[in-house]
Amino acid sequence: MTPFLRIALVLLAVAPAPAEAARSPSQGGYSTEKHVEHGITFPRARSYKRIPTKPNEALVILKYTEKLREDRRSRGYHPDMLVLRIDYIPDVAPKTPGPGESGDPDEPEEPEEPAETDEEGDTGVEEEEEKPPPPPINNFERYLAQRGRGWTAGEASEGKERGDWKATEYELVRPPKSRGNLAGWAYVWEKERERTIAVLGYCPEERLEEQAKIWRNTAAKMKFSEPAPNPQRRKWERFYARRKYVDPAYRIETRLSLPEKWKAEDTENYIVVYDTKDQPLVRKIVRDIELIRAEYEALFPPAGPIEAVSTVRVCEDRDEYFEYGGPRGSAGYWNYRDEELVLYDATKREKGERTDKTDTFIVLYHEAFHQFIHYSAGELAPHSWYNEGTGDFFSGAVVKNGRVRRIGPNRWRVNTIKRAVAEGKHISWEKIIRFEQKDYYANPGLCYAQGWSMIYFLNTSKTVASHPRWSEILTVYFEELKRAWATEQERLGEEGRADEKARGEAQLAARTCAVDVAFEGVDIGELQGEWESFVRGLEALER
């Protein structure tokens, strides 16, 4: 896993990967939580804290995780509790036969005109049987079947009914061949043909008995009412009505989804949400995110107006980042489906030492570039050497007194690429400029360092600047990428193709065209030799 992971698709992790358990702190009683927008009130154990749910998550409405003692932080998986809301949606009715479609399987159909074939009887068209869409998730069983990641309902016992609501408690069965000792539990309230509310819990097996008592106390004592508008909604509607921010509806929903500790700040193009008490850090993030974006816009003019607002989510620390869903081994990520950039406060605060916020901003500047280039290129990712390399290039930005003063070396990458070049273990430019993401991620430590050094070289080398062809490579690549992608999108539209496979093939074609044109007529061997000399001359930096 790389220090930076740009996620293309995020799935709800109903059951996180098992690991060694951490001991629970004392329960400390319960607090009452009321969520009028969902029509539920329940006691929540004070040993649990609420963490945000993903922006586009429709079914998991609340998520909690056990608080950890300071001496137990980052020492393994700890219990989670999820609350689901599943509104009833009727199944799609059977298709009504049209004229000439009796729907009777015994009635003979009129013969179709034969398709044109070649001499060997081949139509030249591969027929793929289209799979029907899955039925709507309108109950707990379907949730497990479609979103449960292999977990199934095991032994069940009926709970005490409350009016029209029926209750069932389940032990969940782990997926076949799953490793580890994770146990699952659920308590499901169902109001027939209207709504299902479920409480799910996951913890190591040896802690199931103690944790199930906590979860059961929350679920069995849950009270229901008709869902009503969130009383905070009107407040934020008035707030944004007096201000000229882009997409106020998105900003309102983002604010309403925040747990009690989280706060938010608006900028022209972002909404920054955070769970850190370091206000100077927050102010710098709010200021720098727009300043660095101006640098992106100057170097990478967008294919069209960018009207999307993105969330910048700053978690309190690495533990909270992982609890939210950050991939292990990463320090931040950009998720284009959720339009969200996620990182954590990585400030180094050593007693007697100067506070160092550098790592937080290395991640911010890198991931913010991914966010910008996604929209600037027309929602298409460039080749990884260009995309990740440029993100790492901007990680070296020095922002001071309201502007980007300079862009220096990335201290996370310099020593790695110097060592690789010295030992002859770097990748040839002929190969790496055509690497797709899976190729790049196969050797992430080296590829990230080399991608950064290639972009840094092409942007800062005096030899490159004085060369009429080399100095154009980055600009030509980006402009050709936008042009080729626009052509491919037009072709897809004409052919009426919108499936993921067709889109993926078109994106690959656009990237291939961009790299072909950018390096046309370039002696790549000569260019690589100059780059190797440049890398050898870089000063080693302390991480």
Side-chain angles (χ1 to χ4, degrees):
M1 191 69 68
T2 67
F4 302 112
L5 178 60
R6 183 172 49 82
I7 295 182
L9 176 64
V10 175
L11 300 176
L12 170 67
V14 173
E20 183 182 353
R23 296 293 298 172
S24 172
S26 60
Q27 293 180 22
Y30 290 80
S31 298
T32 299
E33 287 202 11
K34 186 174 184 178
H35 298 273
V36 295
E37 67 274 29
H38 302 299
I40 55 176
T41 302
F42 55 86
R44 185 260 304 162
R46 294 195 185 104
S47 59
Y48 275 71
K49 68 174 183 178
R50 184 180 163 195
I51 58 176
T53 55
K54 301 290 184 178
N56 290 325
E57 172 53 51
L59 301 178
V60 178
I61 56 174
L62 298 166
K63 185 175 181 181
Y64 302 85
T65 191
E66 185 186 55
K67 297 176 183 177
L68 291 181
R69 298 199 313 259
E70 285 299 320
D71 62 339
R72 294 283 180 174
R73 298 178 76 81
S74 297
R75 292 186 60 183
Y77 178 73
H78 41 287
D80 279 343
M81 182 177 73
L82 315 179
V83 180
L84 311 181
R85 171 180 168 175
I86 304 172
D87 292 327
Y88 180 78
I89 304 171
D91 288 351
V92 178
K95 179 183 175 183
T96 302
E101 297 179 327
S102 68
D104 184 350
D106 295 326
E107 182 176 315
E109 297 180 358
E110 293 185 13
E112 295 181 355
E113 290 290 328
E116 294 184 8
T117 64
D118 60 19
E119 293 180 357
E120 297 180 358
D122 187 358
T123 64
V125 178
E126 292 185 14
E127 294 186 7
E128 294 185 6
E129 186 176 345
E130 188 175 341
K131 293 182 179 179
I137 296 177
N138 54 19
N139 56 44
F140 180 65
E141 289 74 17
R142 284 191 181 169
Y143 174 84
L144 282 182
Q146 296 183 36
R147 299 281 302 277
R149 298 174 66 87
W151 287 78
T152 55
E155 184 177 343
S157 58
E158 291 186 5
K160 188 176 180 180
E161 293 186 14
R162 186 172 298 136
D164 296 331
W165 292 86
K166 294 182 179 180
T168 308
E169 181 176 330
Y170 296 95
E171 288 185 10
L172 299 183
V173 179
R174 279 203 308 266
K177 299 181 180 180
S178 64
R179 293 180 292 178
N181 67 338
L182 202 63
W185 177 96
Y187 198 101
V188 181
W189 287 99
E190 184 175 10
K191 190 174 184 181
E192 189 174 5
R193 301 182 69 83
E194 187 170 323
R195 187 175 302 112
T196 297
I197 299 291
V199 176
L200 280 73
Y202 297 95
C203 71
E205 281 183 339
E206 64 270 20
R207 300 192 61 194
L208 179 60
E209 184 176 354
E210 72 175 70
Q211 292 301 310
K213 291 179 182 178
I214 296 174
W215 302 331
R216 188 179 298 112
N217 196 59
T218 291
K221 294 182 179 179
M222 188 171 285
K223 297 178 181 179
F224 303 98
S225 60
E226 282 301 308
N230 189 318
Q232 292 293 310
R233 181 177 296 278
R234 185 63 188 135
K235 166 190 169 182
W236 292 115
E237 287 174 345
R238 290 194 298 267
F239 175 85
Y240 285 107
R242 299 191 297 268
R243 293 162 177 82
K244 295 183 179 180
Y245 285 119
V246 176
D247 202 349
Y250 176 88
R251 297 172 189 267
I252 290 170
E253 294 304 323
T254 299
R255 285 182 178 272
L256 293 178
S257 70
L258 295 177
E260 55 275 8
K261 284 177 57 186
W262 287 71
K263 295 180 173 61
E265 296 287 345
D266 290 286
T267 76
E268 181 181 353
N269 297 289
Y270 303 89
I271 179 167
V272 179
V273 299
Y274 59 93
D275 182 23
T276 175
K277 297 177 182 178
D278 190 338
Q279 285 301 310
L281 175 72
V282 173
R283 288 195 295 271
K284 183 170 172 58
I285 289 173
V286 168
R287 181 178 64 249
D288 284 12
I289 193 72
E290 290 291 352
L291 292 173
I292 200 73
R293 183 188 176 101
E295 293 293 314
Y296 305 152
E297 289 179 339
L299 292 173
F300 306 97
I306 299 177
E307 298 177 350
V309 176
S310 290
T311 299
V312 178
R313 185 177 300 276
V314 186
C315 297
E316 179 181 21
D317 52 28
R318 188 174 63 171
D319 289 288
E320 187 172 69
Y321 170 76
F322 291 147
E323 289 162 358
Y324 180 69
R328 295 282 170 176
S330 71
Y333 65 89
W334 154 247
N335 176 356
Y336 79 87
R337 291 187 182 273
D338 288 338
E339 297 182 321
E340 183 175 59
L341 188 167
V342 185
L343 68 157
Y344 61 88
D345 179 356
T347 304
K348 295 176 181 176
R349 301 178 176 91
E350 300 292 339
K351 188 174 181 179
E353 299 288 336
R354 184 177 179 180
T355 299
D356 185 358
K357 303 178 188 290
T358 306
D359 285 351
T360 302
F361 289 92
I362 285 178
V363 178
L364 178 70
Y365 300 155
H366 178 111
E367 297 302 336
F369 174 75
H370 288 324
Q371 180 270 344
F372 176 80
I373 205 70
H374 171 75
Y375 296 114
S376 184
E379 301 190 11
L380 168 68
H383 278 100
S384 291
W385 69 272
Y386 192 100
N387 196 8
E388 301 294 350
T390 307
D392 268 346
F393 172 73
F394 281 109
S395 290
V398 177
V399 182
K400 193 174 182 180
N401 297 329
R403 67 186 182 91
V404 178
R405 294 287 177 173
R406 67 180 187 278
I407 296 180
N410 184 319
R411 71 183 190 184
W412 289 12
R413 310 299 183 206
V414 173
N415 296 349
T416 300
I417 192 58
K418 282 182 67 67
R419 184 167 55 251
V421 169
E423 297 174 357
K425 294 181 178 179
H426 53 285
I427 303 164
S428 73
W429 278 48
E430 284 277 8
K431 291 181 179 179
I432 199 169
I433 61 174
R434 297 183 184 276
F435 272 8
E436 287 295 300
Q437 191 180 70
K438 62 180 176 59
D439 307 310
Y440 206 78
Y441 284 6
N443 190 356
L446 173 59
C447 286
Y448 269 80
Q450 182 162 335
W452 163 77
S453 67
M454 291 165 67
I455 298 296
Y456 190 70
F457 164 68
L458 291 172
N459 272 311
T460 66
S461 165
K462 293 181 180 179
T463 303
V464 171
S466 63
H467 195 290
R469 189 65 189 84
W470 295 357
S471 60
E472 295 179 340
I473 289 173
L474 295 180
T475 301
V476 170
Y477 177 94
F478 186 64
E479 293 303 319
E480 185 60 26
L481 183 73
K482 291 188 292 183
R483 187 206 62 76
W485 178 228
T487 300
E488 289 294 327
Q489 287 179 300
E490 185 177 350
R491 178 182 61 79
L492 290 176
E494 291 172 352
E495 296 175 358
R497 302 178 66 193
D499 58 281
E500 286 294 323
K501 181 180 179 182
R503 186 175 174 85
E505 291 171 349
Q507 290 175 334
L508 176 60
R511 282 192 291 268
T512 300
C513 183
V515 80
D516 286 345
V517 174
F519 287 92
E520 185 177 5
V522 173
D523 185 331
I524 296 183
E526 180 186 359
L527 179 62
Q528 179 174 323
E530 186 63 35
W531 163 77
E532 290 170 1
S533 298
F534 177 85
V535 169
R536 292 189 188 98
L538 291 173
E539 182 180 350
L541 297 176
E542 288 187 14
R543 169 68 190 271

